[in-house]
Amino acid sequence: MIKIKRLIDCTIAEAVKSWNEGFAGYYIDTTTTPENLIKRMVNEDLSPLLSIVAFKDNQPIGIVMNGVRKVKGKKVAWNGGTGVAKEYRSKGVGKILIESTLSILKEEGVDLATLEAISNNTKAISLYKNMGYLIYDNLEYLTLKGKLLQNPIKDSNRKYNVERVAPQQIGQLLFYKTMNPWQTQWQSAKNGEGIIVKDDSGNELGYAYYQKIFNSQGRHLSTILFQCESKPDLTDSEEIVYFMLGEVFGDFKDDIIRTITNLPITKSELPLTILKQIGFQTIAQQVYMTKEM
């Protein structure tokens, strides 16, 4: 018999084991440690009270990590990972985990449940659809590694004013994309930096926020771009996005890894097109799914 326990009632060792075994053989290596699991939960606002672990014969065999945020007065939940140990896959454990998760989210008063799934993970997508999730958008994970011989950013015909802000301030903009995937929201950029681009009259034209990763010796290893968006319906939107990418990545002479995670193909079409023109490559694709509770 499968028993479901809240993560708060499990040990860290049980949580790590359920995660590592639940994602063994997955499309990407997601192996974690106690330290990294705790760090991820803090960085991505994942809740030990709302997350669950499945047990059989007192051994953890599956996990769902959940978090909830307030977005424009509504409670939005995110499934930050559903994993089932290999020997229990295709035996209904995933369905039990999702049913239990949705029941918990309903008790919590959640208005909208969200998640992502690897695009070719058809079994998982089918399960989520059967549980009432709909595909909201398709996502791409982009990267550009190393130094470039030539700066790919176009010279701007206009000079824009740049205000350096905290990502939290960007979240207050009227055209901020609140419904972009969880890990791209300002709440996930806890050590990030932000910019708001304005014209000479002080009108806000666009925003971007990002995080620079350094090693223990202070060397810049990578930059993660969370969002880079222009205000809708501007005639110079393309120029603004190019300008902001130049502010984020500089002249591309640094020998670093540049990453954009879960960029919506439809909802963020312009920045996606420009990033690919610059030379960013797609290394993974996901579906972004939502369910009205």
Side-chain angles (χ1 to χ4, degrees):
M1 181 177 176
I2 305 297
K3 182 179 180 180
I4 300 295
K5 294 174 65 174
R6 305 277 185 128
L7 185 58
I8 197 171
D9 297 319
C10 303
T11 66
I12 292 295
E14 288 171 333
V16 170
K17 182 179 180 181
S18 63
W19 181 273
N20 288 339
E21 293 186 1
F23 286 94
Y26 194 56
Y27 298 89
I28 56 175
D29 184 9
T30 61
T31 305
T32 193
T33 63
E35 294 79 9
N36 286 338
L37 182 67
I38 293 170
K39 182 179 178 181
R40 180 170 185 254
M41 292 181 69
V42 172
N43 287 344
E44 297 180 353
D45 300 326
L46 294 168
S47 167
L49 182 62
L50 303 179
S51 301
I52 57 175
V53 177
F55 286 81
K56 181 160 175 78
D57 300 328
N58 295 319
Q59 292 299 312
I61 63 168
I63 188 170
V64 181
M65 303 288 285
N66 295 305
V68 173
R69 289 173 179 163
K70 272 287 189 72
V71 179
K72 291 188 174 180
K74 292 187 176 182
K75 283 189 174 183
V76 177
W78 178 58
N79 176 335
T82 299
V84 177
K86 273 187 176 182
E87 59 268 36
Y88 292 98
R89 292 171 189 170
S90 301
K91 295 183 178 179
V93 177
K95 182 179 179 182
I96 293 171
L97 284 167
I98 299 304
E99 286 177 338
S100 299
T101 289
L102 292 175
S103 178
I104 288 170
L105 297 182
K106 190 172 182 180
E107 290 176 10
E108 186 69 15
V110 166
D111 299 291
L112 183 72
T114 71
L115 57 81
E116 299 95 36
I118 298 291
S119 295
N120 56 359
N121 191 352
T122 55
K123 288 185 178 180
I125 294 170
S126 178
L127 169 63
Y128 297 135
K129 285 182 176 179
N130 288 337
M131 302 302 293
Y133 285 86
L134 301 173
I135 294 178
Y136 181 82
D137 208 334
N138 293 281
L139 311 172
E140 294 202 4
Y141 188 111
L142 305 168
T143 188
L144 178 59
K145 298 180 181 180
K147 61 177 69 175
L148 301 185
L149 296 177
Q150 185 175 349
N151 188 349
I153 300 294
K154 299 176 180 178
D155 289 332
S156 176
N157 295 323
R158 290 183 55 188
K159 295 299 180 183
Y160 300 99
N161 299 311
V162 177
E163 181 181 354
R164 305 215 168 256
V165 298
Q168 293 93 321
Q169 294 169 268
I170 291 174
Q172 306 305 309
L173 294 175
L174 293 178
F175 58 98
Y176 169 70
K177 294 197 170 179
T178 58
M179 274 305 296
N180 272 28
W182 186 275
Q183 290 169 298
T184 74
Q185 295 169 8
W186 68 260
Q187 294 94 328
S188 292
K190 289 183 169 55
N191 296 309
E193 307 170 48
I195 59 171
I196 296 175
V197 171
K198 299 181 178 181
D199 62 18
D200 289 336
S201 299
N203 297 309
E204 295 148 342
L205 306 177
Y207 67 84
Y209 54 98
Y210 55 96
Q211 182 179 350
K212 293 182 178 180
I213 308 298
F214 298 85
N215 65 12
S216 57
Q217 285 75 46
R219 179 173 173 267
H220 184 194
L221 300 178
S222 62
T223 296
I224 303 168
L225 177 62
F226 295 93
Q227 288 192 33
C228 180
E229 301 285 348
S230 65
K231 188 175 181 179
D233 303 322
L234 295 177
T235 56
D236 56 345
S237 288
E238 182 174 330
E239 192 173 11
I240 292 166
V241 172
Y242 267 107
F243 178 83
M244 292 190 295
L245 290 174
E247 291 292 314
V248 173
F249 295 117
D251 58 7
F252 288 77
K253 297 287 178 64
D254 294 332
D255 188 13
I256 63 171
I257 299 172
R258 304 164 192 86
T259 302
I260 295 92
T261 61
N262 291 338
L263 188 63
I265 291 176
T266 302
K267 304 297 183 182
S268 296
E269 181 180 7
L270 178 60
L272 175 63
T273 299
I274 292 173
L275 286 163
K276 288 187 173 182
Q277 289 172 351
I278 285 174
F280 280 81
Q281 300 293 316
T282 301
I283 60 172
Q285 294 178 315
Q286 296 199 99
V287 292
Y288 179 29
M289 306 186 76
T290 63
K291 173 182 169 63
E292 297 283 348
M293 298 293 291

